[in-house]
């Protein structure tokens, strides 16, 4: 039998791909393609389809509205409909289900997925139609029916025969007393030939046994069994029916048999299962989501406590996934996440559990393990699986993962607590080099508690003005004149005393407080530059560190330019220092932010160059004026010819791109001489003085520009 598939998508490329998928299904399948949903609706007014393939996002109407209009047509509007969408939000899918969608495919779609879903729905719909047509096709009132050997049936019998519901009556032994045409079509036999035969002989053994138990209950008790579901298989196609059983009584009220009716709810059941799946599963990967994970963690805790067993909760976070997402695009990122999910699922034993809980983070419950060693071995195997190359078109991509492990019940007996501990362990794995696993320990918990205290103190510090700025001088490598300052943040903690950034910046970044702190720093720098200017002191440019987290705020540029305008900061007076970590996010939005700052007179400097994701393309595209070489190279320059060569190469490269080169961490005269010879333009470090308070800056620059003079 031929099947016609109607494809509706406003993009011609997608139409060609899906039409090719249909052609690959075989000669008995054909496609009819429409770029216009309006034209498709008009065509369906006079034609029929066995399956609809509909894109969700279309200009004239979305996929849900298209399906709703098809369903409103009534006759011919019952064809199953697959919605194809790249969106991962549940609302659009629920909207489509409400409109009458049957199934979904996540874009990009593979030919295998397309074929499997299409065949399943076409076969189910075709079988349901065959059953309905069978009921109407066997008109028992026709005098030619069965060669005219039988008398015409009554009006009631005709109504029952043509009703698209399975109806049968069996006696106390399970033998058919009556069966309507709809059910006989399911068995593909004449209804009269089945009268007198056992219902149990017509059904698979498992289903026959369930029918026997239900019928026995009704015959023995006289009570009905309403509203249960059963699956019938016809020609290899599974159909779900909503069933009811009631006692069949004679004139004296005695139970002489069982009356059974069943309505085909296959399509409705499909939609209900989609709704349930959407509530508890991740749309992209199909894995359970956080809600189902929490339920499984609680169940695992209870089983371990009851049976004395051991399990492990793993949090898996992909390393540098953002790089792939940004360089190859979100579609490639989605493909990678689905591939990782498949590898995780394949690796686990049947009793274990895997879920995606957001972004590039997965959670796993390892069950049936012997202890810590077993958990470690399985984690190592999992890392090896994830680290295998992934194919993208004609290239390969490698990615690693960091895994945090909390043992059940040893590390905790609360789902929330175990998730928190596994999360701590995962970040410890990342801090120790990534692409490894780490077990929870009491030390990790101590650090977490300490960080929580630091976070609370940071919030208090912002309210009570505990932060102060100091400035480290920068000199010109040729003239030895002071040519710049770097603003450095210090925290005057009321209990712990003076704290350096390395003691609190990580917590500030992790909690998002860096945004408020960073804005305070920029505002204060601008304010102090203005104060010096008003007092007749002209400061050289002042560099301010801005973290990658701050650039996630779309209002950062507006805030910075607002401060410079409010305090009258002129061009070249303020420099924003960014780290190489920010360079991996080469988005148009980031470049636009940096270009806007530069066009408004704010210089851009790349800090700590050589320690992160160094790239010639990044340097070429960024509107940077300065490049600061990390002090790890500076510290070895007197002993290492390789480091001297690296510094010289970086300097030549920066000069070719129109940037000045700054060397930080200079501590000896030997380093100073070698850096000058290597081509560095500016020098910064303890050799030229430690950081100074604002009152000391007044003293240093009070008499105008001066040169650095080495004491002695």
């Amino acid at each position: 039998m031929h099947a016609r598939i109607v494809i509706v998508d406003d993009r011609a490329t997608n139409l060609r791909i899906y039409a090719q998928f249909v052609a690959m299904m075989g000669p008995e399948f054909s496609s009819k393609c429409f770029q216009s949903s309006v034209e498709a609706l008009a065509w369906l007014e006079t034609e029929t389809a066995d399956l609809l393939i509909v894109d969700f996002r279309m200009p004239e109407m979305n996929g849900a509205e298209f399906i709703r209009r098809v369903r409103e047509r009534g006759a011919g509007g019952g064809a199953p409909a697959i919605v194809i969408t790249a969106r991962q939000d549940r609302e659009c899918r629920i909207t489509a289900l409400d409109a009458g969608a049957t199934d979904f495919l996540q874009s990009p779609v593979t030919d295998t997925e397309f074929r499997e879903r299409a065949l399943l729905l076409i076969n189910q719909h075709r079988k349901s139609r065959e059953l309905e047509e069978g009921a109407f096709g066997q008109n028992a009132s026709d005098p030619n029916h069965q060669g005219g050997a039988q008398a015409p049936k009554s009006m009631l019998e005709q109504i029952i025969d043509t009703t698209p519901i399975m109806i049968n009556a069996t006696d106390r032994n399970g033998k058919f007393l009556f069966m309507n045409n709809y059910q006989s079509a399911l068995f593909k036999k004449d209804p009269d030939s089945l009268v007198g035969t056992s219902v149990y002989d017509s059904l698979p053994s498992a289903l026959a046994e369930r029918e026997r138990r239900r019928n026995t209950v009704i015959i023995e008790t006289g009570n009905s069994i309403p509203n249960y579901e059963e699956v019938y298989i016809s020609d290899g196609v599974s159909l779900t029916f909503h069933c009811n059983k009631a006692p069949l009584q004679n004139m004296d009220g005695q139970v002489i048999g069982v009356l059974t009716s069943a309505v085909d709810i296959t399509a409705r059941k499909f939609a209900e299962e989609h709704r349930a799946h959407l509530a508890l599963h991740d749309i992209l990967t199909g894995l359970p989501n956080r809600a189902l994970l929490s339920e499984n963690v609680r169940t695992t805790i209870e089983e371990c406590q009851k049976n004395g067993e051991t399990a492990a909760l793993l949090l898996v976070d992909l390393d540098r996934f953002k790089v792939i997402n940004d360089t190859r695009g979100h579609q490639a990122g989605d493909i990678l996440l689905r591939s990782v999910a498949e590898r995780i699922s394949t690796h686990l034993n049947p009793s274990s559990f895997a879920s995606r809980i957001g972004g590039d983070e997965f959670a796993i419950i390892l069950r049936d393990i012997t202890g810590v060693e077993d958990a470690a071995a399985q984690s190592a195997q999992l890392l090896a699986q994830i680290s295998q190359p992934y194919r993208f078109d004609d290239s390969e991509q490698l990615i690693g993962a960091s895994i945090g492990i909390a043992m059940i019940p040893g590390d905790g007996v609360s789902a929330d607590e175990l998730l928190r501990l596994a999360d701590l362990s995962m970040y410890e794995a990342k801090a120790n080099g990534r692409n490894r696993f780490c077990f929870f320990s009491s030390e990790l918990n101590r650090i977490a508690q300490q960080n929580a205290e630091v976070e609370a103190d940071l919030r208090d510090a912002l309210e009570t003005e505990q932060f102060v700025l100091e400035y480290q001088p920068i000199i010109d490598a040729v003239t030895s004149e002071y040519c710049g300052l770097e603003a450095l943040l210090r925290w005057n903690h009321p209990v712990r005393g003076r704290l350096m950034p390395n003691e609190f910046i990580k917590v500030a970044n992790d909690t998002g407080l860096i945004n408020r702190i960073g804005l305070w720093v920029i505002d204060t720098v601008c304010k102090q530059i203005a104060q010096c200017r008003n007092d007749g002191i002209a400061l050289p440019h002042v560099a301010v560190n801005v973290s990658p987290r701050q650039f996630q705020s779309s209002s950062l540029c507006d805030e910075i330019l607002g401060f410079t305008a409010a305090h009258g900061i002129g061009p070249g007076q303020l420099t924003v220092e960014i780290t190489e970590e920010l360079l991996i996010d080469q988005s148009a939005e980031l470049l636009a932010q940096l270009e806007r700052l530069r066009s408004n007179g704010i210089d851009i400097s790349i800090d700590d160059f050589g320690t992160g994701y160094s790239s010639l393309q990044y340097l070429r595209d960024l509107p940077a004026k300065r490049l600061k070489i990390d002090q790890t190279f500076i510290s070895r320059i007197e002993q290492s010819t390789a480091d001297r060569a690296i510094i010289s190469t970086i300097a030549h490269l920066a000069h070719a791109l129109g940037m000045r080169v700054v060397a930080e961490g200079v501590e000896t005269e030997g380093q100073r001489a070698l850096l000058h010879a290597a081509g560095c333009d500016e020098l910064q470090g303890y050799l030229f003085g430690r950081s100074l308070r604002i009152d000391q800056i007044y003293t240093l620059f009070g008499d105008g520009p001066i040169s650095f003079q080495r004491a002695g």
Side-chain angles (χ1 to χ4, degrees), residues 188-251:
K188 305 186 77 171
K189 292 183 179 180
D190 181 81
D192 293 328
S193 68
L194 290 169
V195 173
T197 65
S198 173
V199 62
Y200 311 125
D201 294 338
S202 301
L203 301 173
S205 58
L207 176 55
E209 182 57 32
R210 290 194 295 273
E211 284 290 280
R212 189 189 303 276
R213 289 199 302 267
R214 294 180 185 123
N215 290 349
T216 299
V217 169
I218 291 173
I219 290 169
E220 291 180 352
T221 66
N223 296 326
S224 299
I225 300 179
N227 306 326
Y228 67 92
E229 292 181 6
E230 192 59 83
V231 175
Y232 289 83
I233 299 176
S234 178
D235 294 332
V237 179
S238 296
L239 301 175
T240 304
F241 285 82
H242 180 86
C243 308
N244 290 276
K245 282 183 178 290
L248 183 65
Q249 299 175 332
N250 61 15
M251 297 294 293

Side-chain angles (χ1 to χ4, degrees), residues 289-473:
N289 61 15
R290 186 180 289 271
L292 203 51
L293 168 68
S294 297
E295 179 183 323
N296 273 264
V297 172
R298 286 191 289 270
T299 301
T300 302
I301 293 170
E302 293 172 1
E303 291 175 352
C304 288
Q305 290 177 318
K306 178 181 178 181
N307 303 323
E309 298 172 347
T310 298
L313 175 63
L314 279 57
L315 280 192
V316 182
D317 190 87
L318 302 183
D319 294 331
R320 296 186 65 192
F321 171 75
K322 188 176 186 299
V323 178
I324 296 172
N325 224 21
D326 291 344
T327 57
R328 293 185 176 272
H330 290 286
Q331 189 174 83
D334 287 349
I335 293 173
L336 177 62
L337 288 172
R338 291 162 74 175
S339 298
V340 170
E342 184 177 349
R343 291 188 186 185
I344 290 175
S345 300
T346 303
H347 169 74
L348 299 179
N349 62 47
S351 65
S352 293
F353 175 90
S355 64
R356 181 187 177 215
I357 58 177
D360 59 345
E361 193 170 29
F362 299 82
I364 298 169
I365 302 173
L366 295 180
R367 299 192 181 104
D368 295 337
I369 60 174
T370 57
V372 172
E373 295 80 5
D374 196 358
Q378 291 200 41
S379 297
Q381 294 168 9
L382 188 61
L383 284 176
Q385 287 290 323
I386 294 174
S387 300
Q388 293 296 315
Y390 297 85
R391 293 290 304 177
F392 287 97
D393 299 325
D394 297 328
S395 62
E396 289 187 344
Q397 180 69 54
L398 294 175
I399 194 168
S402 299
I403 301 178
I405 309 171
M407 300 301 295
I408 306 174
D411 288 332
V413 291
S414 158
D416 291 340
E417 177 69 2
L418 286 165
L419 284 166
R420 184 181 72 85
L421 300 183
D423 191 57
L424 286 172
S425 307
M426 182 268 291
Y427 278 107
E428 181 72 6
K430 283 191 178 294
N432 288 334
R434 303 175 184 264
N435 201 33
R436 65 186 62 213
F437 59 85
C438 179
F439 284 89
F440 170 73
S441 69
S442 57
E443 177 62 16
L444 289 179
N445 193 46
R446 184 193 66 77
I447 293 172
Q449 298 300 327
Q450 179 178 304
N451 288 346
E453 294 174 4
V454 171
E455 178 185 354
D457 289 349
L458 281 172
R459 295 183 187 278
D460 188 54
L462 283 164
E463 300 299 327
T464 57
E465 300 182 355
Q466 296 174 17
F467 292 117
V468 296
L469 291 180
E470 295 181 353
Y471 297 88
Q472 185 169 44

Side-chain angles (χ1 to χ4, degrees), residues 108-153:
V109 182
T110 68
D111 61 314
T112 302
E113 288 177 310
F114 188 97
R115 176 185 176 85
E116 289 178 353
R117 303 288 185 87
L119 284 175
L120 172 64
L121 295 181
I122 288 173
N123 288 335
Q124 286 181 340
H125 181 59
R126 179 179 291 168
K127 177 53 62 175
S128 295
R129 280 193 313 179
E130 284 179 2
L131 295 179
E132 292 181 14
E133 291 168 359
F136 286 95
Q138 298 184 41
N139 189 347
S141 64
D142 187 342
N144 295 320
H145 179 68
Q146 290 292 315
Q150 294 181 332
K153 292 187 176 182

